[in-house]
Amino acid sequence: MAQQANIGELLSMLDSPMLSVRDDVTAVFKENLNSDRGPMLVNTLVDYYLETNSQPVLHILTTLQEPHDKVDTDAIVLTTGALVLVTVLPMIPQSGKQHLRDFFDIFGRLSSWCLKKPGHVTEIYLVHLHASVYALFHRLYGMYPCNFVSFLRSHYSMKENLETFEEVVKPMMEHVRIHPELVTGSKDHELDPRRWKRLETHDVVIECAKISLDPTEASYEDGYSVSHQISARFPHRSADVTASSYVDTQNSYGSATSTPHSTSRLMLLNTPGQLPQTLSSLSTRLLTEPPQATLWSPSVVCGMTTPPTSPGNVPPDLSHPYSKVFGTAGRKGTPLGTPATSPPPAPPCHSDDYAHISLPQAMATAPKKEERTDSARPCLHRQHHLPNDRGLEELPGSKGSVTLSDLPGFLGDLASEEDSIEKDKEEAAISKELSEITTADAEPLAPRGGFDSPFYRDSLPGCPRKTHSAVSSAQGTGANPEPLNSALDRLGPDTPKQAFTPIDLPCGGAEESPAGDRERQASLESSILTPSPFKIPPQRGVGFGGGQPPPYDHLFEVALPKTARHFVSKKTEGLLKKAKGNTEEDFMPSASPMEVLDRLIQQGADAHSKELNRLSLPSKSVDWTHFGGSAPSDETRSLRNQLLLLHNQLLYERFKRQQHALRNRRLLRKVTRAAALEEHNAAMKDQLKLQEKDIQIWKVSLQKEQARYSQLQEQRDTVVTQLHSQIRQLQHDREEFYNQSQELQTKLEDCRNMIAELRVELKKANSKVCHTELLLSQVSQKLSNSESVQQQMEFLNRQLLVLGEVNELYLEQLQNKHSDTTKEVEMMKTAYRKELEKNRSHVLQQNQRLDTAQKRILELESHLAKKDHLLLEQKKYLEDVKLQARGQLQAAESRYEAQKRITQVFELEILDLYGRLEKDGLLKKLEEEKTEAAEAAEERLDCCRDGCSDSVTGHNNEEASGPNGETKPPRPGGARGGSGSRGGGGGGSSSSSGGSELSTPEKPPNPRVGPCSSRWETAVGEPTTGIPMTVGSLPSSKSFLGMKARELFRNKSESQCDEDSLTSSSLSETLKTELGKDSGVEAKPPLNLDGPQPPPPKPDSVGQLRIMDYNEAQHEHS
Amino acid sequence: MTEDSQRNFRSVYYEKVGFRGVEEKKSLEILLKDDCLDIEKLCTFSQRFPLPSMYRALVWKVLLGILPPHHESHAQVMMYRKEQYSDVLHALEVIRFISDATPQVEVYLYMHRLESGKLPRSPSFALEPEDEVFLAIAKAMEEMVEDSIDCYWLTRCFVNQLNNKYRDFLPQLPKAFEQYLNLEDSRLLSHLKTSSAVSKLPYDLWFKRCFAGCLPESSLQRVWDKVISGSCKILVFVAVEILLTFKIKVMALNGAEKITKFLENIPQDSSDAIVSKAIDLWHKHCGTPVHSA
């Protein structure tokens, strides 16, 4: 106790915030754990952890080492652990996967444990352990098939494990079908979190259950499809079972094929030694009970509510059930009593399930019974059994090697041989009846799904009968395998009772008090050994009548509406599961460890109650010692352990139940939703109807509207026609008006035409008037003329009159005179005549003259015109000529222009050259003479005076003036240079050379010459200063140009000299020199220049002079 | 028209069959027979019909004023021209501005410059743009006219005409070009505009040099017929026609420089067709010139 407190303190210190303290304490714990090998400290730690969830403790626990984590050989702990694992696994499918290997190891170990039984484990525990291992197997296979299978493959491929596999694992595998994941999935895929995400815990459980073929574990959720599957699978399975267990029994236990059988067998083998008395006593009693259906009363199982059946009730005839069964089976062979005995709760809709379940049951039970009978009453029952077996075997045996799959058909054939007609009738009747029942039952069943655990309530007496019957019908599938299978054998209403009773169980199983444990222990143990007498009949049922369900099956399928069946079967399956869970799958004789365990429990309880009743208290100890020799304390412990195991089992089953409840709830939700949807549909239909009504109303109103519309249309039409007629009338009117206007228009047109005509007439009249006026004027002129003529005529008449009078007078005178006058008159007459003629000729002449004059005028006029024309032509011609001349002139002008340009270019060029020269010369001059600077200045002045344009000519002058310049010096110097000047004047071509020759000696006087001659001087001076001969030679080389230039040059120079008022003198002097040159001294005095002096001996020169003069004059003029 | 009466009755068929210039030659001969040539009529004729090549030089000379209209003075004036030419040439030789090695066109240029008083001081002076124009035209003219004197005079007068008579018109030609191109093919113009080639088209080559160096002389002289006879608008249509002819090529080109480069060096083989089409286009847009008389 002190240590306990110490540990408590330490534990509290373990959670202290001080890190050092914690470490210390942890170290202490570890030390303790290392030193102390007892489990107490560890247990304390675990408890503490569970209470406080303390991390350090967890840490310590996880680091536990060898002595503590060693394998616990205690079967109770192991069983509990395995069950916990099985329970927890579906909850942590994802997080548990990293420990998958460990789980598999656990499985491997436990399975091998089951076989090897290390230590002193009692068989009782092993049954539990085996059941838990079986559950674990199912869970692992259901959840991780690939991994698990691969584990199995690797683990059991080892030789040392082979036996375990054969003994333990292989039989387990017979209760599972091939997992679809083995085909479609892979190892990795199984561990994929996505696979588990969609599944809840109960889904996982159901998934696992689906894989199982064990009727106690399996789930047939899939209903319709599953039923097909099962029906298709059916013959195979029956074959399976027969192959494994059935044949084994034939071999009289030569080899243990399936673990449950072997274990049970082992137990059976063991127990007889321990409790031979109880066995025998119990077995006798128990054997009698099953037929009375009290065996499966939950109250009996629990040993709580109802008192155990009195032993007095037990019929002494042990072989009664067997004989009875045998008797019935043998007598009837065919299910004669079925219509009568089989209660309504065997609905055909369960036929699939029923067939499925019942068959394995039947087949699984078969060997058990044999065992029991064998073990319990070897001598007694073997005789019974053997013939029975033999008889059974004979049937298939007679046929030799009839395949097991053919068995049902074969059996069916056998049956039909016996009384096929009767059977057919029966079948028809059954199917009919059943179909009626199902249709009736299907409806009320629907609302029942909402109950979580309907069976619990159903057990209450207040429950409606109908539902109860429905439940019972559902229950029937689980509980009625025998009723249907062995209905032939079971007489009376026993079977329904059996079906109903398990419903009352659930409360009992959980609340089981450990009070009567010890007593029941013995009974339980013995109950295992108790042979269940009714097991045989099913066997026979399989042999003779059991073969019939398959023929029924297809009939049921055809006869019943599939949906209803599906629904109901689903429902009932759920219910059946529940029932199974609650009743711990009791009653069903099965090869699976579960069933063995169930059986153990139920029979143990039964035996216990009986034993309690039978044994008196004082004689108890005696009995114990007497029977088994084992100490009571030992018994107590084992009993307690068994209780614990039972409790574990119970908890596990409860867990399963909860999962089913969860699932149920979900399914219920679906159902309610479906119902809601149906209601919704109905509501929608109502609405639809309403809307249809509305549509009708709308149609009616539409028709009305249409009628009104047509009416309006008619009205409109009439109005339109009216308006049309109006329009027509108006158009007519309009046309009339139009015609009228047309008429008026034409009239107007006529009027206009008339007016135009009138106007034309007016014009004509006017013109006529004008014409007439003109005529009038003419006429008036004529009139005046005629008047004047008249006047003249009058005048002439008067004259004539006067003349007449005169004539008369003369006549009178003549007459008066008469004689002398006649001659005179004659004379006068002739004179007059002559005068008249003369006048006439004169007039004629005048006329002629006029004509000629007129002709002349015409002639002249034409002449004038000709002249004018000529003049014009002349003008034109002149113009033409002018144009022509202009053209030529233009050409000439352009030519002149070009010439000008050319000269400009030349000048420019020369200036350029000159400038260059000048530059050179200037330098030299500066060196030579200072005086010449002044001259240069003068020259420059001259240049300026001459202007730029004349510069070229100036140069020419300079060059050409060589001879002229030389002519001057002779003036002061006398006639010495005369010859030179003459040369210059006469033959220019030759003078240059001579001039230059002459000029050199006369250089000195140059400075004294006037400004006009300065040019010459420079010109003279320049050649001396070294002007290249090219310049000087230019005029000479081009003689013609030179002459011309000289001419031009001289003219210019002379005009300049004139301006300088020295011209005349110089000119005269030149002439003088020339003259002097020619005539020597004589030429001195005269100064007259123009005088054509006869003396010149060389007239050429003078002529030349003259020409020059003339030219000069001309130039001066121009 | 007085000539019509003298026209060959086949003339209608000639034109139908596509022979051109048969009748034109005759009527031109009639025109040239006159003692005093009618310049206006010659202009109209030259604008309406292609000049027969044998009379081209004569007509050009008359139209450019190198020869007066009077036949009588032709010889004399031509002599003047010849002398002027030789004088100027001589002057240039004298001042050693040119030598025998100087290319003929440059000789023409120097002569021209001398006559216009712009002769530079040395032959190695930088050419001005107008000199380039002169050189290009002279080069083309040299191909067309054999006689160097004629060539010089024609070149000179042609350039003078461009500089004086067309001085105001030439700058407006690009605008007119755009306008007519828009009428003929607005898509092409928009393409040019988008590639901003409108302002970079070789207007100098087209309008200042009158396609000298752009078209072969055989085609070029037909254009110059029109230019000399007084219409510089023909240049616009030739340009438009060039663009229309090479539309696909131009549309394919994108850069303004590429287009300009291509237009500056257009293929010569289709130039005759271009000119014919351009003249048709010109007639279409500006109407056929009629005798004003």
Side-chain angles (χ1 to χ4, degrees), chain A residues 24 95 154 202 259 266 288 291 299 344 406 466 512 568 588 640 675 706 722 862 866 914 978 1044-1045 1049:
Chain A
D24 289 345
S95 50
S154 64
H202 59 87
T259 341
L266 284 168
T288 56
S299 57
D406 293 338
K466 208 177 181 182
E512 206 172 5
V568 174
M588 259 75 73
R640 191 175 293 142
Q706 272 175 345
Q722 252 178 352
S862 67
K866 267 183 200 165
Y914 187 64
K1044 281 266 177 185
F1049 166 66

Side-chain angles (χ1 to χ4, degrees), chain A residues 62-84:
Chain A
T62 51
T63 54
L64 273 181
Q65 279 175 0
E66 184 47 43
H68 299 284
D69 68 339
K70 71 175 194 283
V71 182
D72 200 339
T73 54
D74 190 355
I76 299 161
V77 174
L78 286 174
T79 309
T80 312
L83 284 176
V84 166

Side-chain angles (χ1 to χ4, degrees), chain A residues 98-118:
Chain A
Q98 63 256 39
H99 305 299
L100 213 55
R101 212 56 227 174
D102 298 335
F103 298 154
F104 293 158
D105 281 341
I106 289 166
F107 173 78
R109 273 179 182 226
L110 287 180
S111 55
S112 68
W113 222 78
C114 286
L115 189 69
K116 288 170 186 166
K117 303 183 290 291

Side-chain angles (χ1 to χ4, degrees), chain A residues 58 140 260 434 556 603 629 658 804 957 1007 1031 1112:
Chain A
L58 182 66
L140 288 175
L434 291 181
F556 291 156
Q603 296 201 349
Q658 275 170 358
N957 281 348
V1031 181
E1112 217 172 65

Side-chain angles (χ1 to χ4, degrees), chain A residues 455-472:
Chain A
F455 303 98
Y456 185 74
R457 287 180 205 174
D458 285 344
S459 65
L460 299 171
C463 279
R465 199 61 236 167
K466 208 177 181 182
T467 54
H468 190 88
S469 69
V471 172
S472 67

Side-chain angles (χ1 to χ4, degrees), chain B residues 38 49 73 142 166 214 225 258 269:
Chain B
D38 190 335
F49 310 109
S73 48
E142 204 178 16
Y166 298 146
C214 177
D225 281 346
K258 276 188 205 163
D269 42 3

Side-chain angles (χ1 to χ4, degrees), chain A residues 633-889:
Chain A
S633 60
D634 208 24
E635 285 296 315
T636 317
R637 193 166 60 83
S638 81
L639 281 173
R640 191 175 293 142
N641 287 342
Q642 269 192 310
L643 186 66
L644 264 174
L645 286 171
L646 274 176
H647 189 221
N648 285 337
Q649 191 72 25
L650 186 70
L651 283 176
Y652 173 56
E653 296 301 336
R654 193 183 287 165
F655 157 71
K656 282 211 277 187
R657 186 189 60 104
Q658 275 170 358
Q659 294 309 321
H660 285 299
L662 272 175
R663 189 173 164 72
N664 250 8
R665 242 173 272 146
R666 209 175 63 175
L667 291 171
L668 178 68
R669 196 168 62 235
K670 275 184 190 166
V671 168
T672 48
R673 198 177 294 154
L677 280 173
E678 265 172 25
E679 269 176 39
H680 187 64
N681 266 354
M684 293 285 267
K685 268 181 196 162
D686 287 349
Q687 271 189 352
L688 193 69
K689 268 178 198 165
L690 282 174
Q691 278 171 352
E692 267 170 13
K693 260 182 206 167
D694 278 0
I695 287 166
Q696 287 296 332
I697 291 164
W698 285 121
K699 270 184 188 163
V700 169
S701 64
L702 177 72
Q703 277 172 356
K704 271 184 201 166
E705 288 296 322
Q706 272 175 345
R708 219 168 66 183
Y709 171 71
S710 57
Q711 200 177 340
L712 285 172
Q713 191 87 17
E714 275 171 30
Q715 279 178 5
R716 194 187 67 90
D717 283 347
T718 50
V719 170
V720 165
T721 44
Q722 252 178 352
L723 287 172
H724 269 303
S725 60
Q726 269 185 11
I727 286 167
R728 227 171 285 133
Q729 206 172 343
L730 287 170
Q731 261 175 344
H732 185 66
D733 288 355
R734 195 183 69 91
E735 271 171 30
E736 273 178 19
F737 282 126
Y738 182 71
N739 288 339
Q740 279 180 2
S741 70
Q742 259 329 34
E743 274 174 39
L744 288 172
Q745 201 83 21
T746 47
K747 272 181 192 168
L748 188 69
E749 205 62 29
D750 287 349
C751 285
R752 270 194 197 134
N753 286 344
M754 267 165 62
I755 287 165
E757 277 171 30
L758 286 173
R759 270 201 193 126
V760 170
E761 275 177 37
L762 185 68
K763 263 185 195 166
K764 274 182 192 168
N766 276 343
S767 63
K768 224 181 244 177
V769 167
C770 279
H771 189 62
T772 43
E773 264 175 11
L774 196 72
L775 282 177
L776 195 66
S777 64
Q778 280 178 352
V779 167
S780 60
Q781 211 171 354
K782 275 181 185 173
L783 192 70
S784 61
N785 281 353
S786 64
E787 265 173 10
S788 67
V789 167
Q790 221 160 358
Q791 272 175 359
Q792 272 186 353
M793 205 170 73
E794 273 174 19
F795 179 66
L796 286 173
N797 274 348
R798 234 174 281 153
Q799 269 190 342
L800 195 70
L801 275 175
V802 171
L803 281 172
E805 277 176 19
V806 170
N807 199 24
E808 275 179 15
L809 273 173
Y810 280 136
L811 274 173
E812 278 176 17
Q813 278 176 2
L814 201 66
Q815 277 170 350
N816 287 342
K817 289 173 181 180
H818 202 55
S819 56
D820 55 26
T821 51
T822 48
K823 206 180 178 175
E824 205 183 340
V825 169
E826 289 277 313
M827 287 289 287
M828 279 183 74
K829 270 186 184 169
T830 54
Y832 281 138
R833 240 172 253 139
K834 276 182 181 170
E835 210 175 339
L836 199 69
E837 259 171 48
K838 210 179 169 181
N839 281 339
R840 270 185 191 147
S841 66
H842 191 68
V843 167
L844 207 75
Q845 208 178 352
Q846 284 293 331
N847 275 345
Q848 276 173 349
R849 217 177 270 168
L850 190 71
D851 282 350
T852 53
Q854 270 174 347
K855 268 179 196 165
R856 178 81 183 149
I857 287 165
L858 279 172
E859 218 171 278
L860 284 173
E861 268 177 1
S862 67
H863 204 64
L864 188 69
K866 267 183 200 165
K867 285 276 182 197
D868 276 352
H869 188 67
L870 205 68
L871 201 68
L872 272 175
E873 269 185 3
Q874 284 291 326
K875 267 186 188 167
K876 214 173 173 182
Y877 180 68
L878 195 67
E879 205 67 30
D880 209 26
V881 169
K882 247 163 98 180
L883 214 67
Q884 189 180 350
R886 197 180 297 148
Q888 285 180 5
L889 200 67

